[in-house]
PDB file of all heavy atoms in Angstrom:
ATOM      1  N   ASP A 706      53.397 147.604 -17.666  1.00 96.00           N
ATOM      2  CA  ASP A 706      52.814 146.550 -16.858  1.00 96.00           C
ATOM      3  C   ASP A 706      53.838 145.505 -16.392  1.00 96.00           C
ATOM      4  O   ASP A 706      53.790 145.007 -15.266  1.00 96.00           O
ATOM      5  CB  ASP A 706      51.694 145.825 -17.610  1.00 96.00           C
ATOM      6  CG  ASP A 706      50.473 146.706 -17.785  1.00 96.00           C
ATOM      7  OD1 ASP A 706      50.361 147.709 -17.043  1.00 96.00           O
ATOM      8  OD2 ASP A 706      49.637 146.410 -18.653  1.00 96.00           O
ATOM      9  N   ALA A 707      54.801 145.190 -17.262  1.00 97.00           N
ATOM     10  CA  ALA A 707      55.813 144.181 -16.919  1.00 97.00           C
ATOM     11  C   ALA A 707      56.635 144.677 -15.728  1.00 97.00           C
ATOM     12  O   ALA A 707      56.897 143.919 -14.779  1.00 97.00           O
ATOM     13  CB  ALA A 707      56.717 143.929 -18.122  1.00 97.00           C
ATOM     14  N   ARG A 708      57.008 145.959 -15.734  1.00 98.00           N
ATOM     15  CA  ARG A 708      57.776 146.512 -14.635  1.00 98.00           C
ATOM     16  C   ARG A 708      56.917 146.555 -13.350  1.00 98.00           C
ATOM     17  O   ARG A 708      57.393 146.300 -12.246  1.00 98.00           O
ATOM     18  CB  ARG A 708      58.279 147.908 -15.022  1.00 98.00           C
ATOM     19  CG  ARG A 708      59.338 148.401 -14.093  1.00 98.00           C
ATOM     20  CD  ARG A 708      59.956 149.705 -14.574  1.00 98.00           C
ATOM     21  NE  ARG A 708      60.882 150.185 -13.547  1.00 98.00           N
ATOM     22  CZ  ARG A 708      61.315 151.443 -13.459  1.00 98.00           C
ATOM     23  NH1 ARG A 708      60.910 152.343 -14.343  1.00 98.00           N
ATOM     24  NH2 ARG A 708      62.122 151.798 -12.492  1.00 98.00           N
ATOM     25  N   ALA A 709      55.668 146.891 -13.552  1.00 98.00           N
ATOM     26  CA  ALA A 709      54.732 146.981 -12.407  1.00 98.00           C
ATOM     27  C   ALA A 709      54.577 145.594 -11.755  1.00 98.00           C
ATOM     28  O   ALA A 709      54.605 145.490 -10.516  1.00 98.00           O
ATOM     29  CB  ALA A 709      53.386 147.511 -12.868  1.00 98.00           C
ATOM     30  N   ASP A 710      54.440 144.568 -12.558  1.00 97.00           N
ATOM     31  CA  ASP A 710      54.239 143.216 -12.044  1.00 97.00           C
ATOM     32  C   ASP A 710      55.418 142.792 -11.153  1.00 97.00           C
ATOM     33  O   ASP A 710      55.259 142.068 -10.162  1.00 97.00           O
ATOM     34  CB  ASP A 710      54.080 142.192 -13.168  1.00 97.00           C
ATOM     35  CG  ASP A 710      52.722 142.341 -13.848  1.00 97.00           C
ATOM     36  OD1 ASP A 710      51.847 143.028 -13.274  1.00 97.00           O
ATOM     37  OD2 ASP A 710      52.538 141.778 -14.954  1.00 97.00           O
ATOM     38  N   LYS A 711      56.620 143.224 -11.511  1.00 97.00           N
ATOM     39  CA  LYS A 711      57.835 142.809 -10.774  1.00 97.00           C
ATOM     40  C   LYS A 711      57.794 143.297  -9.327  1.00 97.00           C
ATOM     41  O   LYS A 711      58.384 142.668  -8.432  1.00 97.00           O
ATOM     42  CB  LYS A 711      59.080 143.418 -11.440  1.00 97.00           C
ATOM     43  CG  LYS A 711      59.522 142.644 -12.649  1.00 97.00           C
ATOM     44  CD  LYS A 711      61.001 142.869 -12.921  1.00 97.00           C
ATOM     45  CE  LYS A 711      61.435 142.093 -14.169  1.00 97.00           C
ATOM     46  NZ  LYS A 711      61.944 142.907 -15.240  1.00 97.00           N
ATOM     47  N   VAL A 712      57.106 144.397  -9.072  1.00 97.00           N
ATOM     48  CA  VAL A 712      57.030 144.939  -7.709  1.00 97.00           C
ATOM     49  C   VAL A 712      56.439 143.929  -6.750  1.00 97.00           C
ATOM     50  O   VAL A 712      56.778 143.884  -5.579  1.00 97.00           O
ATOM     51  CB  VAL A 712      56.196 146.272  -7.700  1.00 97.00           C
ATOM     52  CG1 VAL A 712      56.007 146.805  -6.307  1.00 97.00           C
ATOM     53  CG2 VAL A 712      56.860 147.308  -8.609  1.00 97.00           C
ATOM     54  N   TYR A 713      55.525 143.076  -7.258  1.00 97.00           N
ATOM     55  CA  TYR A 713      54.794 142.155  -6.384  1.00 97.00           C
ATOM     56  C   TYR A 713      55.239 140.704  -6.571  1.00 97.00           C
ATOM     57  O   TYR A 713      54.588 139.794  -6.090  1.00 97.00           O
ATOM     58  CB  TYR A 713      53.284 142.296  -6.658  1.00 97.00           C
ATOM     59  CG  TYR A 713      52.858 143.760  -6.613  1.00 97.00           C
ATOM     60  CD1 TYR A 713      52.547 144.459  -7.786  1.00 97.00           C
ATOM     61  CD2 TYR A 713      52.851 144.466  -5.402  1.00 97.00           C
ATOM     62  CE1 TYR A 713      52.218 145.786  -7.750  1.00 97.00           C
ATOM     63  CE2 TYR A 713      52.510 145.807  -5.367  1.00 97.00           C
ATOM     64  CZ  TYR A 713      52.205 146.471  -6.562  1.00 97.00           C
ATOM     65  OH  TYR A 713      51.876 147.802  -6.502  1.00 97.00           O
ATOM     66  N   GLN A 714      56.382 140.521  -7.286  1.00 97.00           N
ATOM     67  CA  GLN A 714      56.867 139.153  -7.524  1.00 97.00           C
ATOM     68  C   GLN A 714      57.486 138.549  -6.280  1.00 97.00           C
ATOM     69  O   GLN A 714      58.240 139.224  -5.555  1.00 97.00           O
ATOM     70  CB  GLN A 714      57.896 139.163  -8.652  1.00 97.00           C
ATOM     71  CG  GLN A 714      57.336 138.639  -9.946  1.00 97.00           C
ATOM     72  CD  GLN A 714      58.275 138.845 -11.118  1.00 97.00           C
ATOM     73  OE1 GLN A 714      59.487 138.939 -10.959  1.00 97.00           O
ATOM     74  NE2 GLN A 714      57.691 138.921 -12.309  1.00 97.00           N
ATOM     75  N   GLY A 715      57.173 137.275  -5.994  1.00 97.00           N
ATOM     76  CA  GLY A 715      57.813 136.568  -4.918  1.00 97.00           C
ATOM     77  C   GLY A 715      57.254 136.871  -3.536  1.00 97.00           C
ATOM     78  O   GLY A 715      57.798 136.452  -2.513  1.00 97.00           O
ATOM     79  N   ILE A 716      56.202 137.627  -3.488  1.00 97.00           N
ATOM     80  CA  ILE A 716      55.592 137.989  -2.206  1.00 97.00           C
ATOM     81  C   ILE A 716      54.086 138.063  -2.402  1.00 97.00           C
ATOM     82  O   ILE A 716      53.619 138.460  -3.485  1.00 97.00           O
ATOM     83  CB  ILE A 716      56.124 139.338  -1.659  1.00 97.00           C
ATOM     84  CG1 ILE A 716      55.487 139.638  -0.288  1.00 97.00           C
ATOM     85  CG2 ILE A 716      55.927 140.486  -2.635  1.00 97.00           C
ATOM     86  CD1 ILE A 716      56.107 140.849   0.408  1.00 97.00           C
ATOM     87  N   GLN A 717      53.330 137.663  -1.385  1.00 98.00           N
ATOM     88  CA  GLN A 717      51.874 137.858  -1.470  1.00 98.00           C
ATOM     89  C   GLN A 717      51.578 139.268  -0.971  1.00 98.00           C
ATOM     90  O   GLN A 717      51.678 139.523   0.243  1.00 98.00           O
ATOM     91  CB  GLN A 717      51.110 136.827  -0.642  1.00 98.00           C
ATOM     92  CG  GLN A 717      49.602 137.020  -0.774  1.00 98.00           C
ATOM     93  CD  GLN A 717      48.779 135.987  -0.015  1.00 98.00           C
ATOM     94  OE1 GLN A 717      49.310 134.986   0.449  1.00 98.00           O
ATOM     95  NE2 GLN A 717      47.495 136.250   0.107  1.00 98.00           N
ATOM     96  N   PRO A 718      51.251 140.175  -1.876  1.00 98.00           N
ATOM     97  CA  PRO A 718      51.005 141.557  -1.431  1.00 98.00           C
ATOM     98  C   PRO A 718      49.638 141.700  -0.769  1.00 98.00           C
ATOM     99  O   PRO A 718      48.808 140.796  -0.828  1.00 98.00           O
ATOM    100  CB  PRO A 718      51.043 142.340  -2.757  1.00 98.00           C
ATOM    101  CG  PRO A 718      50.603 141.361  -3.780  1.00 98.00           C
ATOM    102  CD  PRO A 718      50.983 139.991  -3.303  1.00 98.00           C
ATOM    103  N   LEU A 719      49.412 142.832  -0.172  1.00 98.00           N
ATOM    104  CA  LEU A 719      48.095 143.175   0.350  1.00 98.00           C
ATOM    105  C   LEU A 719      47.167 143.465  -0.831  1.00 98.00           C
ATOM    106  O   LEU A 719      47.629 143.695  -1.963  1.00 98.00           O
ATOM    107  CB  LEU A 719      48.209 144.414   1.249  1.00 98.00           C
ATOM    108  CG  LEU A 719      49.111 144.267   2.464  1.00 98.00           C
ATOM    109  CD1 LEU A 719      49.458 145.631   3.056  1.00 98.00           C
ATOM    110  CD2 LEU A 719      48.441 143.390   3.509  1.00 98.00           C
ATOM    111  N   THR A 720      45.874 143.490  -0.549  1.00 98.00           N
ATOM    112  CA  THR A 720      44.900 143.892  -1.573  1.00 98.00           C
ATOM    113  C   THR A 720      44.213 145.187  -1.099  1.00 98.00           C
ATOM    114  O   THR A 720      44.272 145.526   0.085  1.00 98.00           O
ATOM    115  CB  THR A 720      43.816 142.799  -1.767  1.00 98.00           C
ATOM    116  OG1 THR A 720      43.058 142.723  -0.529  1.00 98.00           O
ATOM    117  CG2 THR A 720      44.421 141.455  -2.084  1.00 98.00           C
ATOM    118  N   GLY A 721      43.548 145.826  -2.030  1.00 98.00           N
ATOM    119  CA  GLY A 721      42.773 147.017  -1.653  1.00 98.00           C
ATOM    120  C   GLY A 721      41.745 146.682  -0.572  1.00 98.00           C
ATOM    121  O   GLY A 721      41.477 147.505   0.301  1.00 98.00           O
TER     122      GLY A 721
END
Side-chain angles (χ1 to χ4, degrees):
D706 290 342
R708 194 173 175 199
D710 288 347
K711 280 204 181 119
V712 176
Y713 310 106
Q714 256 170 26
I716 182 172
Q717 182 178 348
L719 299 163
T720 65

